[in-house]
Amino acid sequence: MTFIDSLPAPLTVPSRNFFAQWHAWRGDRLLPRRSAMDANGLGDLRGYCLLLDIRGRDSIPICFAGSMVADMLGTDLAGRNYLDLTEPENRSRRAALLFAEIAQPCAAVIYYWLQSDRGRTMPVELVSAPLCADDSDQPSLVLACATPLVAGKAGDVMDATSYAEGEGLRFIDIGAGIPPVGADLAMLGHSVQ
């Protein structure tokens, strides 16, 4: 069974296409290097992608944010700290989830319900997978792709902080197993700096 065949069944077609492209970049390696990442190969998905640089428990800058993400949120996220997009009480858990994804390299899927400035809700499937910087064999980057599950309404702007806590997190084995999701997750997050 191939990696693509092993993906969870309920994933959307755009998320499956994201993983197919990520898988092509890695070739015979566990993880692709950043230089192998061909953002143009993502096609229309590129506009829905974010590239996160996992530097520390309080520093996860957004290196790249696609144009559709900017359109949805009414602002460009590039250069901002990813953790600033959530409430302070949720930052530690959000950082721990990303650290888990790079400490025991795996992909992930999680669902968020973004709220618009007009009170509408947009469910989003967010998938992500780690990459290595070109000068390292250890992952320090996470590429994510946000697929809206319903069409937005014209003029709606989603609140970037409205996805305080996601639901339905699943780690996806890419060949190195999957990390724990329970209480041990916080400890794993602390062990990676």
Side-chain angles (χ1 to χ4, degrees):
M1 178 181 290
T2 69
F3 168 70
I4 300 303
D5 294 334
S6 71
L7 291 172
L11 286 180
T12 62
V13 170
S15 292
R16 289 182 172 282
N17 291 342
F18 168 84
F19 282 128
Q21 187 62 53
W22 175 87
H23 181 64
W25 294 335
R26 73 180 180 158
D28 60 357
R29 298 174 46 88
L30 178 63
L31 299 171
R33 293 200 185 279
R34 184 172 182 174
S35 60
M37 185 180 89
D38 173 15
N40 292 328
L42 290 167
D44 292 341
L45 293 177
R46 180 179 182 191
Y48 293 95
C49 288
L50 299 166
L51 181 61
L52 309 175
D53 185 358
I54 316 300
R55 292 185 182 171
R57 297 204 51 76
D58 297 319
S59 178
I60 302 178
I62 300 170
C63 302
F64 169 83
S67 60
M68 297 307 292
V69 172
D71 289 348
M72 269 194 303
L73 301 177
T75 185
D76 185 7
L77 298 180
R80 294 179 60 184
N81 186 348
Y82 178 72
L83 297 175
D84 290 344
L85 302 179
T86 192
E87 300 298 324
E89 63 270 16
N90 294 324
R91 291 177 185 166
S92 178
R93 174 120 174 111
R94 177 118 357 133
L97 293 172
L98 287 167
F99 276 110
E101 196 170 341
I102 64 170
Q104 185 171 350
C106 63
V109 58
I110 192 166
Y111 297 88
Y112 291 102
W113 283 258
L114 299 180
Q115 300 297 315
S116 80
D117 55 352
R118 298 178 183 180
R120 293 188 183 97
T121 300
M122 176 186 286
V124 173
E125 179 177 78
L126 185 81
V127 293
S128 59
L131 298 97
C132 295
D134 289 337
D135 60 353
S136 176
D137 288 328
Q138 298 300 313
S140 62
L141 303 164
V142 171
L143 183 64
C145 184
T147 301
L149 299 177
V150 298
K153 302 281 185 189
D156 274 356
V157 174
M158 298 296 135
D159 177 2
T161 63
S162 67
Y163 65 109
E165 195 67 29
E167 295 181 15
L169 169 71
R170 286 177 293 168
F171 287 124
I172 300 169
D173 189 352
I174 61 170
I178 57 172
V181 179
D184 293 342
L185 179 63
M187 293 308 298
L188 181 61
H190 286 292
S191 68
V192 179
Q193 291 299 321

